[in-house]
Each structure stands twice: as C-alpha cells, then as structure tokens.
Amino acid sequence: MTLPTDPETDAVPLRVAMTKTLAQDGLLDDTGWRAAVATVPRHRFVPGFYLPAEGRDGNGLTVWEPITADRAYGRWLSAAYSDTTLITQFDGEEPDWRNPTARHGGAPTSSSTMPSLVVRMWVDAEVEEGHTVLEIGTGTGYSTALACERLGSSHVTSIEVDPRRLQAAADALHDCGYAPTLAAADGLHGYWPEAWFDRVVTACSFRGVPPTLVRQTRPGGKILLNLSGWLYGHARALLTVAVDGSAEGPLLPGTISFMSVRSHAAPAFGNPGDWAAGLSQEPRRARHAPVFITDATADAFHLRFLAQCAVPDAQMTVLNGVHYLIDVVSGSAAALSSSGGAWDVRQGGPVKLWERVERLIDLFEAAGRPGPEEFNLRVDSAGRQFLLHPRMPDLPLPGT
C-alpha cells in the first residue's frame, strides 16, 4: 500500500532539522536569517533536480539522475532540505520535469545553491533591516525568498539572464507569497530601474568587477562579488563604494566556487595536439611544478586565482599526463610533462605562459604565501581593477 504524501507537512521536521544544523554551525546568529530559513519552503523551489549516480558511464562521464517527487518522493524531499547544491540545468537546456531523462556529463548552468552558502552570502554582505538589495542570479528563487522573508519583498530586486529560469522562480516566489522586483537581465549591467542599492550580492562569478555594479551602489554601500577566471580559480570580495565612484575591500577567506556568468565563460580551445605542434622542440626544466596551482588544497585554490592575473586568457587541461596551458587570445601555449621526478616545459607563441606563472609563484613565495584575506581589491573611479598586497606588485584582474 502506498502511504499518502503531503510535502507541506512532511517538510516541516526536515526544515526544522536543517535550521538547527545551520545554527549549530554558527551561520544563523542573526535571528532574522534564522527565522527566514525556518520559514521558506525550499522544496517549492526545486520541483526537479539532478543528483550524481554511483560510478560513471562507458565513456567515463558522470551520470546525473533526475529526481522529482513523482519519481522518488523521499529522496527528493530529503535532498531539498540537505545542505547540498542541487543542479537544475545543464548546458542551458531547460529540463521537462514531467518526463525527465538522465544526463551523461555536461556543464551545470543553473542550480539551487547549498543553503549554508546562501545564508553565508547574505551574512557576509552585511545585509541589515531596511537595506535595498540587488541579487544577481535568481536561479531557482530560494535565495531570493530568504531575502524577501528577511527584508520584505519591496526591498529586493533579483535578476536572471535565463528567462525560463526566471519564470519558474517567479511562479514559485508568487506561490509562496513573495513579490520582489524580478527582471530578465544580464548581471554585467545590473538593473538601473531600481538603483541605487545598499547591497549587491552575486550568485554567479565574474572575471572582473562590472563597473555598472559600482555605479548602481550607494556611496557607503557594499558589493559581495564572486570572482573567477579561465583557470577556474575563485575568490570572493566585499567592496565598499566611495563617494568618488571607487570601491575597495578585502578578499574573503574560504574555497567557494560559483558558476561563471555566461558571457564570461571560457571559450572552447580545440584539440591540445594542434596547439602542441607549435611548441618549441627543446624543453627546459620548469622551476615550479603544476601541482602549485592544481593541487586540491586551499593554498593551490588561492594561488590558481592569483595565477589568472598573470595569464588572464589561459586555460589548463591535462591529456595523457601532460598539462597544457592554452591561450586562445594570443595564440600562445605551454606543455608541462613529468621527467624523472621533475617537470619539463615547452612553450610557444608571443606569451611565455608558464614563465609568467613561475614569476607569480616566486612573488607569492617571497611574500610569505599570503592568504586571500591579506589582499585588497581596488576599483578606481576610471574602472581600473587591481589586487593589492604590501609585499607583491599590483595584479590586474583577468577580466580588465
């Protein structure tokens, strides 16, 4: 016999448990955010999502299983109230959740971010009662709903580049009684009709600080910005906007990554073998191994972000044990291969990519391996953007 299900009732203890867990982790010291998490029904914003299956397919690709209430009610509801990012779209293709199919590989392009990170973003942005906020990247609308519950719908504007995603989020928000300003718009340009804002919070990443966001923030207001580049190094910055139109603030600690805004996504670079044909025939011994920026450590995660400032248009891929750096803008490339416990590098094109990375690593080591919070990001009134550190040269951001 199939037992009757009622997600509105069944979700209550799960939401209570999630709220308690986030509070125990120190994320809900603000009673307003705690009340919001305890109130907003996350399951309403994720009617369907993908979870990875065990193992991979015959081509080595991750198999993503579609999860809906009709297919697996218990798994769907429990995942909705887990501290997990739920992928809702791949490659910009909107699923038909009435008849979904498994995905093999693909690039996630929309998701419901894990609740702990959503709350952390609002808290880190120092959002307070009475603030007007611009959220960039509505996604499923869950984060938007938390802001509406905390501040009131009239104080919240949220924009999303994908109109189909926005419509689904708008429906869910309306059904839950929230009425923020929503718009299909590109986050690079913010949303002038509702400016100025006290806070701007991005739920996607940019290669550099969009100047429009600075201009749309009140003097004294703050921008919580997620930054990334084509080496997939990530950082977060909390900028305070000055009266003269400049903005400055620290990088925040942690190893958090967000999907790139679509217009800043890395371009396809083709076949590494084609690039290798133009490399120098004589290798030299590399001073630093690629592990400095590829290792699964917090230091490497941070250094990979800094390396993007040295080679802003480079991407990295590994094929048959060889690490390739490929720059589609300048036509430059480098290949690193292991040789007797050391690494050899061959380079080609006008930019010596690995030499630039090595110089950056040298500077980083000489400065005592400074962490993210030791760097300041400054955007001057002319829009020039630099990472600043007292013991390192100024580093321009990749997207500037």
Side-chain angles (χ1 to χ4, degrees):
M1 180 179 68
T2 302
L3 297 176
T5 57
D6 176 11
E8 305 310 314
T9 300
D10 297 341
V12 172
L14 297 175
R15 192 158 58 248
V16 168
M18 185 180 75
T19 304
K20 182 179 179 180
T21 298
L22 296 183
Q24 290 173 340
D25 291 341
L27 294 169
L28 297 178
D29 293 340
D30 182 304
T31 57
W33 290 118
R34 180 165 186 160
V37 172
T39 302
V40 175
R42 190 186 186 207
H43 67 278
R44 298 262 201 103
F45 297 88
V46 285
F49 48 83
Y50 295 96
L51 292 178
E54 293 185 10
R56 296 176 178 263
D57 68 10
N59 295 315
L61 299 174
T62 300
V63 178
W64 294 92
E65 295 182 88
I67 307 297
T68 65
D70 290 339
R71 293 169 66 95
Y73 176 78
R75 191 179 182 192
W76 165 76
L77 195 60
S78 63
Y81 289 97
S82 66
D83 193 24
T84 305
T85 293
L86 304 173
I87 306 299
T88 55
Q89 187 191 77
F90 285 92
D91 302 316
E93 299 173 4
E94 191 67 16
D96 178 4
W97 292 116
R98 295 166 298 181
N99 187 31
T101 57
R103 297 279 312 202
H104 291 248
T109 48
S110 189
S111 67
S112 178
T113 302
M114 59 198 303
S116 62
L117 181 50
V118 170
V119 174
R120 181 175 172 183
M121 287 167 56
W122 289 121
V123 171
D124 284 348
E126 301 176 6
V127 173
E128 298 176 359
E129 197 75 28
H131 281 163
T132 56
V133 302
L134 170 64
E135 177 190 43
I136 296 177
T138 312
T140 64
Y142 174 67
S143 174
T144 316
L146 291 177
C148 289
E149 185 67 34
R150 176 70 173 82
L151 301 173
S153 295
S154 64
H155 286 63
V156 179
T157 298
S158 185
I159 62 175
E160 168 63 48
V161 72
D162 186 331
R164 297 166 301 175
R165 286 278 82 217
L166 184 69
Q167 185 59 59
D171 291 343
L173 286 160
H174 180 268
D175 288 347
C176 291
Y178 302 116
T181 297
L182 300 174
D186 190 327
L188 286 173
H189 308 294
Y191 198 62
W192 278 110
E194 296 294 318
W196 288 341
F197 301 99
D198 296 300
R199 296 290 185 270
V200 175
V201 176
T202 69
C204 51
S205 65
F206 298 85
R207 297 183 73 209
V209 183
T212 306
L213 300 187
V214 178
R215 293 197 295 270
Q216 291 181 13
T217 304
R218 297 179 191 278
K222 296 179 185 292
I223 304 171
L224 181 65
L225 190 77
N226 301 298
L227 297 163
S228 65
W230 294 348
L231 290 181
Y232 298 102
H234 294 261
R236 294 189 309 147
L238 182 61
L239 306 178
T240 300
V241 175
V243 174
D244 66 359
S246 64
E248 187 167 352
L251 298 188
L252 302 181
T255 54
I256 294 170
S257 63
F258 280 83
M259 296 176 191
S260 175
V261 64
R262 295 185 187 183
S263 53
H264 280 192
F269 54 75
N271 185 343
D274 295 339
W275 292 87
L279 299 177
S280 62
Q281 295 303 307
E282 292 298 322
R284 71 164 177 84
R285 186 57 50 90
R287 297 201 316 277
H288 297 294
V291 69
F292 273 88
I293 61 172
T294 61
D295 204 8
T297 64
D299 274 356
F301 187 92
H302 171 49
L303 188 52
R304 188 157 62 250
F305 175 75
L306 299 180
Q308 292 167 162
C309 300
V311 287
D313 299 317
Q315 301 176 65
M316 177 171 276
T317 188
V318 182
L319 182 65
N320 298 325
V322 179
H323 289 67
Y324 293 93
L325 276 176
I326 296 171
D327 181 341
V328 301
V329 176
S330 71
S332 305
L336 292 109
S337 54
S338 180
S339 174
W343 287 83
D344 290 333
V345 59
R346 294 188 300 137
Q347 301 180 98
V351 180
K352 304 307 179 189
L353 297 174
W354 194 247
E355 287 182 19
R356 287 194 176 185
V357 174
E358 288 178 322
R359 285 197 294 271
L360 186 281
I361 295 173
D362 290 341
L363 292 167
F364 182 71
E365 294 283 352
R369 305 179 68 86
E373 62 280 3
E374 297 182 54
F375 287 83
N376 256 30
L377 172 58
R378 176 169 175 78
V379 181
D380 66 21
S381 56
R384 293 169 297 202
Q385 306 173 23
F386 296 92
L387 284 177
L388 309 176
H389 188 275
R391 297 189 300 279
M392 292 182 66
D394 297 348
L395 299 172
L397 288 193
T400 59

